[in-house]
Amino acid sequence: MNALPEREAVGTLLRHVLDLLDGDVAKVYAELGLTDYRPRHSPVVRALLADGPMPIRDLARRVGVTHSAASQTVAQMHRAGLVDLSPGADARQRVVSLTAQARDLLPVIEAEWAATSAAMRELDAELSMPLSDLLTEIAGALRRRPFRERIADAGLTVPETTGG
């Protein structure tokens, strides 16, 4: 087993935890025969099921990721045959919808969602507070006062950059 990153290497530790969680979910998908399905697809599928077809920009907002991240995920899902793309209201817009192939996979995907949610509740019971609560609290604190400001307040002076 790999050693844990140093406690002070918080970004590395967060990525390590995400790799542990997503890695095992990806293994479950593979064991279920969902070889082209990734953990990052689930929020997109859930949003499209709840709200129907939508432009990538709206999907990004709904899922809580950047437009670029949503575009990359949608492109990956399109290559896997899980979503269709159609022109939107203007030439720049692409509307995303689930394919029949994705809808056929829903019973397996929904069973995995339910099992993953139950596993997360079990993990949360072992923690001092639920992981999602802690992450939400962290995100709120960083929105109120960005980490960059906290670094500067700790005494690191960074020279101003000029556009060039």
Side-chain angles (χ1 to χ4, degrees):
M1 173 153 179
N2 294 340
L4 282 176
E6 294 179 34
R7 288 181 57 92
E8 291 80 17
V10 175
T12 302
L13 188 55
L14 283 169
R15 280 185 290 279
H16 180 71
V17 169
L18 182 59
D19 288 347
L20 290 171
L21 292 170
D22 276 358
D24 278 348
V25 171
K27 287 177 188 172
V28 169
Y29 292 146
E31 291 163 0
L32 292 171
L34 301 174
T35 55
D36 290 330
Y37 196 85
R38 304 287 177 266
R40 67 191 287 182
H41 297 172
S42 289
V44 172
V45 171
R46 293 177 73 98
L48 293 172
L49 279 174
D51 300 339
M54 69 183 84
I56 293 175
R57 179 182 325 262
D58 294 348
L59 184 60
R61 237 181 266 121
R62 171 74 163 70
V63 173
V65 298
T66 65
H67 184 275
S68 175
S71 276
Q72 290 173 11
T73 299
V74 165
Q76 187 180 54
M77 293 176 75
H78 183 67
R79 284 190 300 274
L82 300 171
V83 296
D84 281 326
L85 297 169
S86 58
D90 67 43
R92 297 170 297 173
Q93 200 176 60
R94 292 181 299 154
V95 175
V96 184
S97 59
L98 292 175
T99 63
Q101 177 183 336
R103 291 187 182 283
D104 289 346
L105 295 174
L106 285 177
V108 176
I109 292 169
E110 289 172 339
E112 180 278 323
W113 288 340
T116 297
S117 293
M120 196 66 229
R121 286 190 299 276
E122 179 188 325
L123 177 61
D124 282 343
E126 295 179 35
L127 305 175
S128 60
M129 74 184 300
L131 182 58
S132 62
D133 290 352
L134 178 59
L135 294 172
T136 300
E137 188 175 332
I138 291 167
L142 292 173
R143 279 191 202 100
R144 286 188 302 276
R145 187 160 169 253
F147 204 55
R148 172 64 187 91
E149 288 179 20
R150 296 166 192 264
I151 292 169
D153 290 349
L156 181 63
T157 304
V158 179
E160 297 265 337
T161 58
T162 58

mmCIF file of all heavy atoms in Angstrom, residues 29-57:
data_model
loop_
_atom_site.group_PDB
_atom_site.id
_atom_site.type_symbol
_atom_site.label_atom_id
_atom_site.label_comp_id
_atom_site.label_asym_id
_atom_site.label_seq_id
_atom_site.Cartn_x
_atom_site.Cartn_y
_atom_site.Cartn_z
ATOM 1 N N TYR A 29 -17.546 -0.084 -11.689
ATOM 2 C CA TYR A 29 -18.100 0.062 -13.041
ATOM 3 C C TYR A 29 -17.541 -1.017 -13.959
ATOM 4 O O TYR A 29 -18.286 -1.649 -14.706
ATOM 5 C CB TYR A 29 -17.775 1.429 -13.640
ATOM 6 C CG TYR A 29 -18.459 2.606 -12.977
ATOM 7 C CD1 TYR A 29 -17.802 3.821 -12.886
ATOM 8 C CD2 TYR A 29 -19.741 2.525 -12.462
ATOM 9 C CE1 TYR A 29 -18.406 4.917 -12.293
ATOM 10 C CE2 TYR A 29 -20.351 3.610 -11.867
ATOM 11 C CZ TYR A 29 -19.688 4.803 -11.789
ATOM 12 O OH TYR A 29 -20.281 5.879 -11.212
ATOM 13 N N ALA A 30 -16.233 -1.220 -13.925
ATOM 14 C CA ALA A 30 -15.613 -2.218 -14.793
ATOM 15 C C ALA A 30 -16.152 -3.614 -14.482
ATOM 16 O O ALA A 30 -16.452 -4.392 -15.397
ATOM 17 C CB ALA A 30 -14.094 -2.184 -14.635
ATOM 18 N N GLU A 31 -16.305 -3.910 -13.182
ATOM 19 C CA GLU A 31 -16.826 -5.218 -12.786
ATOM 20 C C GLU A 31 -18.283 -5.402 -13.221
ATOM 21 O O GLU A 31 -18.733 -6.526 -13.442
ATOM 22 C CB GLU A 31 -16.685 -5.398 -11.269
ATOM 23 C CG GLU A 31 -15.230 -5.540 -10.833
ATOM 24 C CD GLU A 31 -15.011 -5.316 -9.338
ATOM 25 O OE1 GLU A 31 -15.990 -5.053 -8.604
ATOM 26 O OE2 GLU A 31 -13.843 -5.381 -8.916
ATOM 27 N N LEU A 32 -19.010 -4.293 -13.352
ATOM 28 C CA LEU A 32 -20.402 -4.350 -13.803
ATOM 29 C C LEU A 32 -20.518 -4.342 -15.330
ATOM 30 O O LEU A 32 -21.614 -4.371 -15.871
ATOM 31 C CB LEU A 32 -21.192 -3.162 -13.230
ATOM 32 C CG LEU A 32 -21.425 -3.167 -11.728
ATOM 33 C CD1 LEU A 32 -22.008 -1.835 -11.275
ATOM 34 C CD2 LEU A 32 -22.337 -4.328 -11.337
ATOM 35 N N GLY A 33 -19.372 -4.278 -16.008
ATOM 36 C CA GLY A 33 -19.374 -4.260 -17.462
ATOM 37 C C GLY A 33 -19.527 -2.876 -18.071
ATOM 38 O O GLY A 33 -19.717 -2.749 -19.276
ATOM 39 N N LEU A 34 -19.449 -1.836 -17.254
ATOM 40 C CA LEU A 34 -19.557 -0.452 -17.738
ATOM 41 C C LEU A 34 -18.158 0.080 -18.031
ATOM 42 O O LEU A 34 -17.671 1.004 -17.384
ATOM 43 C CB LEU A 34 -20.258 0.430 -16.694
ATOM 44 C CG LEU A 34 -21.671 0.014 -16.295
ATOM 45 C CD1 LEU A 34 -22.185 0.877 -15.162
ATOM 46 C CD2 LEU A 34 -22.603 0.079 -17.487
ATOM 47 N N THR A 35 -17.506 -0.492 -19.027
ATOM 48 C CA THR A 35 -16.094 -0.190 -19.279
ATOM 49 C C THR A 35 -15.843 1.242 -19.731
ATOM 50 O O THR A 35 -14.769 1.778 -19.491
ATOM 51 C CB THR A 35 -15.515 -1.159 -20.323
ATOM 52 O OG1 THR A 35 -16.334 -1.111 -21.494
ATOM 53 C CG2 THR A 35 -15.485 -2.587 -19.784
ATOM 54 N N ASP A 36 -16.817 1.894 -20.375
ATOM 55 C CA ASP A 36 -16.633 3.273 -20.836
ATOM 56 C C ASP A 36 -17.265 4.303 -19.902
ATOM 57 O O ASP A 36 -17.337 5.479 -20.239
ATOM 58 C CB ASP A 36 -17.231 3.444 -22.242
ATOM 59 C CG ASP A 36 -16.424 2.711 -23.291
ATOM 60 O OD1 ASP A 36 -15.199 2.575 -23.099
ATOM 61 O OD2 ASP A 36 -17.015 2.261 -24.294
ATOM 62 N N TYR A 37 -17.733 3.871 -18.757
ATOM 63 C CA TYR A 37 -18.402 4.773 -17.826
ATOM 64 C C TYR A 37 -17.419 5.170 -16.728
ATOM 65 O O TYR A 37 -16.693 4.334 -16.212
ATOM 66 C CB TYR A 37 -19.631 4.078 -17.219
ATOM 67 C CG TYR A 37 -20.581 5.030 -16.557
ATOM 68 C CD1 TYR A 37 -21.549 5.699 -17.290
ATOM 69 C CD2 TYR A 37 -20.520 5.256 -15.198
ATOM 70 C CE1 TYR A 37 -22.435 6.578 -16.682
ATOM 71 C CE2 TYR A 37 -21.382 6.132 -14.583
ATOM 72 C CZ TYR A 37 -22.341 6.794 -15.323
ATOM 73 O OH TYR A 37 -23.199 7.667 -14.723
ATOM 74 N N ARG A 38 -17.375 6.459 -16.396
ATOM 75 C CA ARG A 38 -16.440 6.994 -15.409
ATOM 76 C C ARG A 38 -17.208 7.674 -14.284
ATOM 77 O O ARG A 38 -18.320 8.187 -14.505
ATOM 78 C CB ARG A 38 -15.500 8.028 -16.049
ATOM 79 C CG ARG A 38 -14.719 7.520 -17.240
ATOM 80 C CD ARG A 38 -13.597 6.561 -16.795
ATOM 81 N NE ARG A 38 -12.889 6.014 -17.931
ATOM 82 C CZ ARG A 38 -13.167 4.853 -18.514
ATOM 83 N NH1 ARG A 38 -14.146 4.104 -18.078
ATOM 84 N NH2 ARG A 38 -12.461 4.408 -19.531
ATOM 85 N N PRO A 39 -16.627 7.772 -13.099
ATOM 86 C CA PRO A 39 -17.296 8.465 -11.995
ATOM 87 C C PRO A 39 -17.730 9.889 -12.352
ATOM 88 O O PRO A 39 -18.804 10.332 -11.922
ATOM 89 C CB PRO A 39 -16.248 8.459 -10.877
ATOM 90 C CG PRO A 39 -15.449 7.219 -11.144
ATOM 91 C CD PRO A 39 -15.377 7.137 -12.654
ATOM 92 N N ARG A 40 -16.962 10.582 -13.175
ATOM 93 C CA ARG A 40 -17.314 11.955 -13.528
ATOM 94 C C ARG A 40 -18.532 12.039 -14.447
ATOM 95 O O ARG A 40 -19.073 13.118 -14.664
ATOM 96 C CB ARG A 40 -16.109 12.668 -14.135
ATOM 97 C CG ARG A 40 -15.698 12.094 -15.483
ATOM 98 C CD ARG A 40 -14.373 12.594 -15.976
ATOM 99 N NE ARG A 40 -14.456 13.971 -16.418
ATOM 100 C CZ ARG A 40 -13.453 14.637 -16.934
ATOM 101 N NH1 ARG A 40 -12.277 14.081 -17.037
ATOM 102 N NH2 ARG A 40 -13.607 15.858 -17.337
ATOM 103 N N HIS A 41 -18.990 10.904 -14.982
ATOM 104 C CA HIS A 41 -20.174 10.892 -15.831
ATOM 105 C C HIS A 41 -21.465 10.975 -15.013
ATOM 106 O O HIS A 41 -22.476 11.471 -15.510
ATOM 107 C CB HIS A 41 -20.225 9.628 -16.690
ATOM 108 C CG HIS A 41 -19.088 9.510 -17.653
ATOM 109 N ND1 HIS A 41 -18.876 8.370 -18.391
ATOM 110 C CD2 HIS A 41 -18.093 10.360 -18.008
ATOM 111 C CE1 HIS A 41 -17.799 8.526 -19.154
ATOM 112 N NE2 HIS A 41 -17.315 9.736 -18.924
ATOM 113 N N SER A 42 -21.440 10.459 -13.793
ATOM 114 C CA SER A 42 -22.664 10.372 -12.997
ATOM 115 C C SER A 42 -23.351 11.712 -12.758
ATOM 116 O O SER A 42 -24.575 11.798 -12.927
ATOM 117 C CB SER A 42 -22.394 9.664 -11.673
ATOM 118 O OG SER A 42 -22.170 8.289 -11.918
ATOM 119 N N PRO A 43 -22.638 12.784 -12.376
ATOM 120 C CA PRO A 43 -23.352 14.058 -12.195
ATOM 121 C C PRO A 43 -24.024 14.541 -13.480
ATOM 122 O O PRO A 43 -25.120 15.112 -13.432
ATOM 123 C CB PRO A 43 -22.254 15.033 -11.745
ATOM 124 C CG PRO A 43 -21.179 14.170 -11.177
ATOM 125 C CD PRO A 43 -21.234 12.890 -11.957
ATOM 126 N N VAL A 44 -23.404 14.289 -14.623
ATOM 127 C CA VAL A 44 -23.984 14.686 -15.911
ATOM 128 C C VAL A 44 -25.246 13.867 -16.181
ATOM 129 O O VAL A 44 -26.292 14.428 -16.539
ATOM 130 C CB VAL A 44 -22.960 14.516 -17.055
ATOM 131 C CG1 VAL A 44 -23.612 14.729 -18.411
ATOM 132 C CG2 VAL A 44 -21.781 15.458 -16.861
ATOM 133 N N VAL A 45 -25.164 12.565 -15.995
ATOM 134 C CA VAL A 45 -26.331 11.706 -16.217
ATOM 135 C C VAL A 45 -27.463 12.119 -15.280
ATOM 136 O O VAL A 45 -28.618 12.262 -15.701
ATOM 137 C CB VAL A 45 -25.972 10.212 -16.034
ATOM 138 C CG1 VAL A 45 -27.217 9.339 -16.038
ATOM 139 C CG2 VAL A 45 -25.002 9.761 -17.123
ATOM 140 N N ARG A 46 -27.144 12.353 -14.020
ATOM 141 C CA ARG A 46 -28.181 12.736 -13.049
ATOM 142 C C ARG A 46 -28.838 14.058 -13.434
ATOM 143 O O ARG A 46 -30.059 14.212 -13.337
ATOM 144 C CB ARG A 46 -27.585 12.789 -11.646
ATOM 145 C CG ARG A 46 -27.164 11.397 -11.157
ATOM 146 C CD ARG A 46 -26.500 11.460 -9.797
ATOM 147 N NE ARG A 46 -27.482 11.722 -8.757
ATOM 148 C CZ ARG A 46 -28.039 10.793 -7.994
ATOM 149 N NH1 ARG A 46 -27.705 9.527 -8.155
ATOM 150 N NH2 ARG A 46 -28.901 11.095 -7.066
ATOM 151 N N ALA A 47 -28.038 15.021 -13.870
ATOM 152 C CA ALA A 47 -28.584 16.328 -14.266
ATOM 153 C C ALA A 47 -29.480 16.192 -15.493
ATOM 154 O O ALA A 47 -30.562 16.787 -15.539
ATOM 155 C CB ALA A 47 -27.448 17.318 -14.533
ATOM 156 N N LEU A 48 -29.035 15.420 -16.475
ATOM 157 C CA LEU A 48 -29.830 15.243 -17.696
ATOM 158 C C LEU A 48 -31.114 14.465 -17.415
ATOM 159 O O LEU A 48 -32.150 14.738 -18.025
ATOM 160 C CB LEU A 48 -29.002 14.569 -18.786
ATOM 161 C CG LEU A 48 -27.842 15.399 -19.335
ATOM 162 C CD1 LEU A 48 -26.969 14.568 -20.267
ATOM 163 C CD2 LEU A 48 -28.339 16.664 -20.025
ATOM 164 N N LEU A 49 -31.063 13.525 -16.507
ATOM 165 C CA LEU A 49 -32.281 12.800 -16.124
ATOM 166 C C LEU A 49 -33.270 13.735 -15.427
ATOM 167 O O LEU A 49 -34.472 13.679 -15.677
ATOM 168 C CB LEU A 49 -31.948 11.634 -15.188
ATOM 169 C CG LEU A 49 -31.457 10.366 -15.838
ATOM 170 C CD1 LEU A 49 -31.039 9.355 -14.769
ATOM 171 C CD2 LEU A 49 -32.531 9.767 -16.732
ATOM 172 N N ALA A 50 -32.755 14.581 -14.548
ATOM 173 C CA ALA A 50 -33.620 15.471 -13.773
ATOM 174 C C ALA A 50 -34.194 16.610 -14.613
ATOM 175 O O ALA A 50 -35.373 16.946 -14.481
ATOM 176 C CB ALA A 50 -32.850 16.039 -12.584
ATOM 177 N N ASP A 51 -33.359 17.205 -15.473
ATOM 178 C CA ASP A 51 -33.738 18.439 -16.163
ATOM 179 C C ASP A 51 -33.911 18.293 -17.666
ATOM 180 O O ASP A 51 -34.313 19.240 -18.331
ATOM 181 C CB ASP A 51 -32.709 19.536 -15.891
ATOM 182 C CG ASP A 51 -32.594 19.863 -14.411
ATOM 183 O OD1 ASP A 51 -33.534 19.561 -13.657
ATOM 184 O OD2 ASP A 51 -31.559 20.421 -14.008
ATOM 185 N N GLY A 52 -33.562 17.147 -18.220
ATOM 186 C CA GLY A 52 -33.670 16.954 -19.656
ATOM 187 C C GLY A 52 -32.498 17.572 -20.401
ATOM 188 O O GLY A 52 -31.554 18.082 -19.790
ATOM 189 N N PRO A 53 -32.540 17.520 -21.728
ATOM 190 C CA PRO A 53 -31.441 18.051 -22.538
ATOM 191 C C PRO A 53 -31.167 19.515 -22.204
ATOM 192 O O PRO A 53 -32.094 20.283 -21.906
ATOM 193 C CB PRO A 53 -31.959 17.910 -23.973
ATOM 194 C CG PRO A 53 -32.961 16.805 -23.906
ATOM 195 C CD PRO A 53 -33.612 16.950 -22.559
ATOM 196 N N MET A 54 -29.873 19.874 -22.244
ATOM 197 C CA MET A 54 -29.494 21.256 -21.956
ATOM 198 C C MET A 54 -28.170 21.589 -22.595
ATOM 199 O O MET A 54 -27.359 20.689 -22.862
ATOM 200 C CB MET A 54 -29.467 21.511 -20.450
ATOM 201 C CG MET A 54 -28.355 20.804 -19.692
ATOM 202 S SD MET A 54 -28.427 21.075 -17.904
ATOM 203 C CE MET A 54 -29.600 19.817 -17.421
ATOM 204 N N PRO A 55 -27.911 22.883 -22.822
ATOM 205 C CA PRO A 55 -26.621 23.303 -23.360
ATOM 206 C C PRO A 55 -25.490 22.993 -22.378
ATOM 207 O O PRO A 55 -25.708 22.946 -21.156
ATOM 208 C CB PRO A 55 -26.778 24.821 -23.531
ATOM 209 C CG PRO A 55 -28.246 25.067 -23.547
ATOM 210 C CD PRO A 55 -28.850 23.990 -22.682
ATOM 211 N N ILE A 56 -24.291 22.810 -22.909
ATOM 212 C CA ILE A 56 -23.139 22.490 -22.066
ATOM 213 C C ILE A 56 -22.942 23.550 -20.987
ATOM 214 O O ILE A 56 -22.646 23.230 -19.837
ATOM 215 C CB ILE A 56 -21.866 22.315 -22.923
ATOM 216 C CG1 ILE A 56 -21.997 21.063 -23.801
ATOM 217 C CG2 ILE A 56 -20.620 22.216 -22.039
ATOM 218 C CD1 ILE A 56 -20.866 20.842 -24.770
ATOM 219 N N ARG A 57 -23.136 24.829 -21.332
ATOM 220 C CA ARG A 57 -22.958 25.906 -20.340
ATOM 221 C C ARG A 57 -23.903 25.699 -19.146
ATOM 222 O O ARG A 57 -23.502 25.815 -17.993
ATOM 223 C CB ARG A 57 -23.211 27.258 -20.988
ATOM 224 C CG ARG A 57 -23.073 28.429 -20.043
ATOM 225 C CD ARG A 57 -23.381 29.746 -20.709
ATOM 226 N NE ARG A 57 -22.964 29.801 -22.095
ATOM 227 C CZ ARG A 57 -21.838 30.353 -22.538
ATOM 228 N NH1 ARG A 57 -21.028 30.932 -21.697
ATOM 229 N NH2 ARG A 57 -21.530 30.344 -23.818
#
